[in-house]
Structures are given as structure tokens and as C-alpha cells.
Amino acid sequence: MTNGSPCPPSRPWWKDAVCYQVWPMSFKDSNADGHGDIQGIISKLDYLKDLGADVVWVSPTYKSPMKDFGYDISDWSDINPAFGTMEDMLQLIEEVHKRGMRILLDLVITHTSDQHPWFLESRTSKVNPKADWYMWENGRPGHHIYNTRTGVDDKVEQPTNWRACFGGSAWYYGEERDQHFLHLFLKEEPDLNWENPVTRKAIYEAAIGFWLDKGIDGFRIDTVNRLSKDVTWQDVPTKLVGPLQSATHVYINGPRSHEFLKEMRQYMDNHPRVQESGQELMLVGELPKTPMDDVMQYVHPDSRELSMVFDFDMVDLAGHDSPDEVKAHETKNLCDGDPSYTLPLFKETIIKVQNLISAGGWGTVFMENHDQCRSIARYATPEPQYYQKAAKLLCLMQTTLSGTEFIYQGQEIGMLDMPLHWDYDDFRDPGAKLYIDEEFESGGPEARENARIGNLKFGRDNGRTPVQWSSGKNAGFSDANEGECWIGVNDNCEAGVNVEDQQADPDSIWHFWKRQVGLRKEYREVFMYGSFECLELDNMKTFTYVKTAVDGLTALVCLNFSNEMQPITAPDDLLNGRSLEFLTGNLGQPLAHEQPLAAWEGHVYLLKAPLHKAVEERLRRFPTDAQLDEAFGKSLNI
């Protein structure tokens, strides 16, 4: 390996990694313009290293008109001046590697900006060299579709009745060609035509090869299961009121998805730098709405497609990731007590990913990112008296599940959602504003207020407020004048929700995260790699599971997701004469193992038992990953 610790032959380096996602606009501003930047990231690398991060995932800083905050890319091989320069980016890559860490960049290749030179050429005519580099289709003047839900003939003159993810039609008319182009997201984000092999080759060279040459260690691939669409362009059944319908089942996990990914992975594997260094790239795919068997096709080592995926079943609880079907203000959280989101349903989403790993694939452990609300109210409780406990409880769970760990900026200090008084002018997410506008147009002031509440609860801006480094001006994010930051700062930074105060408090959420990351690495065989067994799946109050390493080391994790005291579950057949040895908990060590869990309390116990002779013989003949790691290290004198 060229950077960081050498990778033992027993497993890829990225399985052991603790990753930290940086969303640059809100991470750290270095030049007082109110906008986070690359030099700001560099200034905090020692902080990330101290926290325990091994990998820094940097969200887009590419050249972009910023209609979708960098996910509308006009040039993959250039840097948006708002973030800095190419020299800044090369310095970031170098500084990350100097600290023994690795770096991932976002790979956004389902679409480009409508200002990308390829699209500007494509839209000029039907016969130019890039005419078919995007997905253009003829409209249907005067076309109507009978809506089986409303009994009305809806006028749909676009090529299909598909709805875009952020609202409105997924097609936009291009006057120059007298055709419509597909955009699954904003109309400023036209979808690339992956059916065209010339386009694919150009994407590989411009978006992938360029950055592999610069020394990055992998990619997080945006909307990776939207590359292939059903290009017969069929209307989808009418299930929603109105002419436009959700069409995710025809453009997610399309018929050529695996073919395209295998081809792309082959390009990466054959890249000269990868060949020369022998480095195993880390490829993380964003994979919503995908069943278990299909996920396995993406991540199984024999498939040679992705290293791991972000499975979104947990995110989608109560329809949160299905805005076409469930409006944001109608979506529920755990503590809302709604049958669409219960603790057993939450457990099932965890079980899916853990079973993926035990079946030979690999997954991720995450609860937050730049597209989601903050985790504490979503997956635990919004009640302020339980804030510290709930934040640490979720950390306890996240650091004891198998897979590659991802921490999102600010999660380590328990950052919370937007203040409840924020309104339309405070929001920055274009999807949030489109939602409010659509609701107001269709339902008036009451519908508008519902949409505002929905955005406060689930909007993407929740995860995009500036990182709170201190209780001072702009929460230490920027030296810009008050009111000049690109988005407002949460005023709870003055109430201890900031890095500076929490680093000074040994009982803080920050210190708990740091300790837990350390324990995860110390006991990696059980927490990163151990098998998973859920106990009492139907229990509506507690989440209890067993992690078992291949060498027999066993951990019992007991988490109370309620406001009431709950007993600890430790079945006799699990204990089998063994005693519980307390390892860690979010409220400290209990007076006795049989002591019930307090509200939002969690414990982790170790069970160390003599190994059966058959297991001892197996270990003697077939060494564990840990033993291989140790032998590999000795061979390198490290």
C-alpha cells in the first residue's frame, strides 16, 4: 500500500476503516466569505485524525453552477472557485496521506450540469457529435392518460408521465431540438446516456481517470443504481393524484446496471496507478430501494462491482425516502408512535445489512449524511432531557455493528436539526422550496405551513447547517460578518453543542464518540467483523443483539429505546454458565449486571468462555484474521 498502514493479505484495508464525511460548504471557512472551503478542511485534518478517522470522504468541490450545491457538475477536472483551486485540492490529498489517512471523492456520473460543455453541445441539434450523449425523446402533443385513482384524463405531453425526484416532470423541453431531455433530479441536471459506449468511455476518463492520477483512494458513487433506465420509455401506472407519477421501479436498478458497473470497475482496476501501486480502491455506492438479493449482486467480491453500499432501508422508514408517496410532514419518527415506524421495523433494517455481511458481502454503518436530517430525533427521541443519553446510545449502536463505519460532520457532537422558527427564506435546499411552492399552489396557506414543518423535520438543510466548532461568532465556522454565512447557524451552539466546549468536558458526546471509535478498533474482530444475532425482534422498547467473533469472543449489546426502565435480556442458553463482563455504556458502569437499563441507556458486555476443542483445533489449523494481521505485521517489522 502506498499510504497509511500496509494492508494485510487477509482483507481489504477499507473494511477496517472509520470514515468521516465532509460536506465542504458547511465544514470550515478559511477566508471569511461565509462559505466552507478546501483550506478549511485542511485546517481540521488533525482534528479528524484525533477523533479516530481513517478515511476522509469529501463531497463535491468540482466546478459547478451550484443549483444543487455541487451535484450539478460542469467540469469534473476543475475546482469551483468558491472552494479553492486545484492546488488546494492536491494539497488536501497530500496532507491526508501525510497523516496516514485516505481520501474519497464523490463520483457524480448519472447526470451533469446543464452548463457542462457536453450538454451545451448536445442540445444544439439532433445531429451534433454529442447529440446522443444525453437522453432526448420526442414529446406527445395532446396526449392524455386516464388516472385510475381520480377517474380523470390527465394531460401528459412529455415522453412519459415520470415525476422528478424534486417534483415536477422528469422531462424538460429543449427548444433547439424540439425534444425533451430526461432529468431525474433538477431540470438543471440532465441525465447522461449510459447506453452510449462512447459516452461511458468519456465519463471514465474525465471523471475517474483524472482523479486516480491525482492519487485519491476511491469514490463514493452518487445514485449508483440510476445509471441504467428502461429505455422503452413506458408510462407508469397511476397511483398518485395528478398527471405525474413515481417511476423509481423503472429507473432504479435498471436492466444494464451490473454490466455498466463491471465495465467501470474494470477501467479502474486497469488504471496504471492502480496497477502499479497494487492499491485496492474503496468504492461506496449509494443504493436506495434495493432488495437484499439485488444488493448482494453489487457487493459480493465475485461480482467485482462495488466495495460496499449505503443501504437506505433505515432512511426510508415511514416513507421518508419516498416523497412521491409520503409527504414530508406526514412522515413519522420512532417516537411518534406510528405503526409505519416501530423499533422492530428499525431492527429489521439493521438485520438486513448485518446479514449481507455474514453472507459474504460487505456493508456500511451510518445514520447521517448530507441528504438526511440529523439522527437523534429521527432514530431516538426529540425530548431535550434525554438528548445526551440518546446521542450516546446511537453512537453505542453504530460503533458495535459490523461493516465500515461512517460518521457525518457534526454527528460526533450531537448536532441537531434546524431551529423550529426557520421558514422559507432560511431554507437553501432547492427541493425544500419546490415542495413548499407546490403545496401552497395546490392547498393554500395551511398546506404551505405543513410543508414548512415537513422541511424542518426531514429537509436536507438539517444536515447542512455549519459545523459548530465553538460558541462564538458563527459557531466558529467562519469569520464572516453576522448574517453573511451561506446558511444560518444553529443557535444551540451557545448551549454546549460545539466542539470546543465538548472537548473540554470528558463526559461529552464528543469524548464518548472518540472512546467508542477506539474500542471499535481495539475489539475489531467482534465489532467490525463479528456475526450478528438479534434477540427479541418484536420487543418494542429494547434492541438487544449478540456479536460473535470467529475466535469465540462474544459481545452482548443491550439498548433501551424508551423513556422507561427496561430489564436486560441475557438468555441462559447464551450465557451457558458464563458471566457478563461490562465493557462500555452511555451512562457508565452499572452497580450490578442485573440492574435494569435506565431510559435511553445502553450497555455492552463481553462473554469470554473456554473454547470447545473442535474450535481450538480449527483455530490451530486455520488462523483468524487477527492472527494473520499480526503475522503480516511481524514480517514487515511493524
Side-chain angles (χ1 to χ4, degrees), residues 607-626:
L607 295 86
K608 297 179 179 178
L611 294 177
H612 189 275
K613 289 184 178 180
V615 177
E616 291 179 339
E617 175 63 17
R618 178 190 178 281
L619 292 176
R620 186 184 67 79
R621 296 174 57 200
F622 302 104
T624 65
D625 284 344

Side-chain angles (χ1 to χ4, degrees), residues 524-543:
R524 68 185 60 212
E525 298 305 321
V526 69
F527 293 140
M528 294 182 181
Y529 296 96
S531 64
F532 175 93
E533 179 187 1
C534 179
L535 305 181
E536 295 189 326
L537 173 63
D538 294 332
N539 191 310
M540 299 286 284
K541 303 291 186 180
T542 62
F543 186 11

Side-chain angles (χ1 to χ4, degrees), residues 96-155:
V96 167
H97 288 160
K98 276 183 181 179
R99 289 163 175 79
M101 299 189 291
R102 292 179 168 88
I103 185 168
L104 303 183
L105 297 186
D106 248 304
L107 184 60
V108 187
I109 49 178
T110 55
H111 57 268
T112 68
S113 163
D114 62 354
Q115 299 304 303
H116 194 291
W118 295 355
F119 185 73
L120 294 177
E121 181 176 351
S122 181
R123 74 182 307 164
T124 59
S125 72
K126 299 178 183 179
V127 294
N128 68 77
K130 293 184 175 59
D132 60 350
W133 283 36
Y134 293 82
M135 311 198 94
W136 293 91
E137 288 295 322
N138 295 323
R140 303 178 293 182
H143 186 77
H144 286 75
I145 299 174
Y146 178 72
N147 192 311
T148 57
R149 178 168 177 176
T150 62
V152 174
D153 278 333
D154 291 322
K155 189 176 183 180

Side-chain angles (χ1 to χ4, degrees), residues 36 53 102 113 135 145 188 252 267 320 323 375 469 520 547 574 608:
R102 292 179 168 88
S113 163
M135 311 198 94
I145 299 174
E188 294 87 359
I252 283 184
Y267 173 88
H320 170 45
S375 59
W469 297 103
R520 179 176 179 82
K547 298 294 300 297
L574 171 67
K608 297 179 179 178

